[in-house]
Each structure stands twice: as structure tokens, then as C-alpha cells.
Amino acid sequence: MLPKTYAAAALGLLTTAAQAQVVDLVKDTADGDRWMYPFNGTPGIRAIASTFSAADQGPGFDDRDGQFLLMFDTDAAITPGLDPGSYQIIAARLTLVIDNDEEFRYDPTPDSFRTLLAESDPDFIADADSGRAMTIFGVGYRNGWDVFSWTQTSAFGGPPVIEPAQSARNVFAANYDSVGAAFDISNNVKERFEVAPLGIGEIEGMAPGDTVPAESVVVFELDLCDEDGMAFLRRSLRDGRLNLAVSSMHPASGGPGGGAGDVLYPIFKTSDDVIAQILDQTPTLELTVRVGSPGNYDGIGGADFSDVIAFITDFGSGDPAANLAPPCTLDFSDVLAFLVAFAAASGG
Ligand SMILES: [Ca+2]
Ligand SMILES: [Ca+2]
Ligand SMILES: [Ca+2]
Ligand SMILES: [Ca+2]
């Protein structure tokens, strides 16, 4: 469950720049999803998508060789086109369901890229916990594609930097610099840098190192303290579409491009899995977002005393809805942000 259900969302109040509302958005299937693998023969309609690494296979393949791209249109529920600062992310969560049974190990903590280097490399360190984390990222584009033009059936990539497929993909798992420019993290082992995921996949009741059964529910709580990541989310809400990439560094053994051996990586059900549609196991996005000025905190009427009470109540109880300014903890900067917004919205 997301932290709160708001009367404002139920009433469906109209939003203008001066008004605010808190929207609980639940999308129980993706508007598009795609196994982003260079040799996927059924792009956009495949019922499963696996994530794995080719970091140990030399040049020619992205380290993050198999990625799972998910596309959610948000514009029907959350007014697009506003300044990105008008979207306050209060909670964000992606839920996926595992398709394969007992083939990979659970690891809820990401490993350094150094654990994926050759053991003879001076920078190599051993992976302290078996398994690899399932992680989620925002995306970036190349070759002229963008969030509006790219669809689940668009071309995988353009000319690779190294044949047959390295650094070719048109949409890639990304991190962002301080001005919001995306950079491709698909080769962070070859290029030797650590990555910052938006969220880490967790499975309730499972211990690190356990093998993961089919039908396991993987929950990615997005990190509200990641300011670059939250800025990506806000831009996505402005654009009316949120595209996300799931990645993991499990070895590509036993499957696509991975040669002999058992499958050792997660396989997720996509929105195209007919059984998953019936069993409610398709990818699900949950967002709680305040849209517009937080001065009208309760989203009801204009900015008046009830908004002051509502803010103080949330602030006092530690509700993340009261987090109106960095850092992501509740402190005086949030009170100040509320007062400034309240003064502006109430004309005072
Ligand atoms: Ca699809
Ligand atoms: Ca590990
Ligand atoms: Ca109000
Ligand atoms: Ca804060």
C-alpha cells in the first residue's frame, strides 16, 4: 500500500498552477514493455524478459546485455506539461513477477563493478554475497529517439561502436548528471564506474542467497532521496510518460548468447503474458504525486487554514507527503517551503 489515500484524488479536482492535488496512480500493466536484447526476434510482444550481464564475454556486447524496458503513460491521471518542480514524488514503486523457478539467487544489495572484473585484474574484488541485485534505472536515448518517439516495437539500435552490438541500443539504462543529461550505464564494468539505481528489487520473506521461486513478487521501491533520479521522474511526469529500465548483472549463462550451462538469471513476466494478465502478475507501477503548488496542501478549495493544519499534521507524523524540499528527511526547510508556497497560493 502507498502511504495515504487522499480525498482530493477521489474527488478528481482539476489542477492549475495555483491548485494542488495528490494523485494516487496505479497502473496494473505497462503501456508498452520490451525485452531490450539485441537479438530479440519478437520485440514488444514477448511474454518474458530476462536481465543478465555479458561483462565476462569481451568486447562486442554491452555489459548489461539483457535489459527490460517498461513504458507507463501517466498523462491521463497526472496533468503533464507543468514545470518539473510542480511534481512532488511522495511514493513510487514498480512491481514485477518472476517467471522462472529456482534458477537464480536473491541479492538485495547491489555489488560493485569490481566484482565483475577478471579475477586477475588488480581492481577485482570478490562478490561478498552470492547472487546479483535486480535494479531499476531511468533511461536515455540516442540516434534521435526520445521519450515520445520510442515505442516497444522500435528498432533496437543503430550502428554499434563495436560489432555486433556494443553501445548500439536506442534506449538504454541511464544515470543523470547534475543538469539532467542522461548517460548510458550499460557498460559500467568496461568503463569502470559505479552506478546509482533508482531502486532495488526486494522479495518479501526471502533471505540473501536464496534461490528465487517462480511467481515471486519483486518490489522496487524508488529511492526518494536520489535527487537526480527524482528529477528524472519529475521530467517524465511533465512529459506524460515514464520509461524505466530493469537491469541485473547475473551471468548470461545457459541462455541467449551465454552458451552452455544452467540459466542463472531472473526472467520476468511482461505485460504481453496472457496468463499473467489473468492472474494480475503484469508489471505494475504505483505513484503518489502532489501536482501543483504545495501551498494548497490538501487540494481542497484554495489555500486556507485547513492546509496549514494538514501540513502540520503530516509533518508531525513524519509523513513523506510533507517532504517539500531537499534533503529527503523532514526538517525546517520543508516548513519554509510550505510557508513560501502557502503565502504565494493564498496571495498573502
Ligand atoms: Ca510489450
Ligand atoms: Ca552479490
Ligand atoms: Ca486547501
Ligand atoms: Ca525535506
Side-chain angles (χ1 to χ4, degrees), residues 92-113:
R93 169 192 292 169
L94 176 74
T95 304
L96 301 176
V97 176
I98 296 295
D99 187 75
N100 55 331
D101 191 42
E102 307 272 358
E103 292 188 314
F104 71 100
R105 291 187 184 279
Y106 179 58
D107 179 355
T109 52
D111 304 321
S112 167
F113 76 87

Side-chain angles (χ1 to χ4, degrees), residues 107 109 111 127-133:
D107 179 355
T109 52
D111 304 321
D127 183 11
D129 46 13
S130 62
R132 297 292 177 180

Side-chain angles (χ1 to χ4, degrees), residues 235-324:
R235 293 193 299 274
S236 300
L237 296 176
R238 174 200 61 194
D239 296 340
R241 173 176 290 168
L242 174 60
N243 288 355
L244 298 166
V246 177
S247 171
S248 74
M249 300 306 271
H250 295 86
S253 169
D262 296 330
V263 167
L264 296 172
Y265 49 78
I267 303 176
F268 301 96
K269 299 175 188 287
T270 75
S271 298
D272 303 289
D273 181 329
V274 174
I275 304 298
Q277 291 167 7
I278 294 166
L279 298 179
D280 199 19
Q281 295 179 329
T282 47
T284 298
L285 175 73
E286 295 168 84
L287 282 180
T288 302
V289 183
R290 176 188 306 286
V291 184
S293 167
N296 181 6
Y297 189 84
D298 61 9
I300 300 167
D304 57 27
F305 191 66
S306 65
D307 299 298
V308 179
I309 297 297
F311 173 76
I312 290 172
T313 302
D314 280 357
F315 186 85
S317 65
D319 192 313
N323 174 36
L324 302 179

Side-chain angles (χ1 to χ4, degrees), residues 143-167:
N143 299 322
W145 294 93
D146 63 25
V147 63
F148 302 111
S149 60
W150 207 86
T151 74
Q152 63 173 1
T153 56
S154 295
F156 171 84
V161 172
I162 300 177
E163 293 281 352
Q166 187 175 319
S167 299

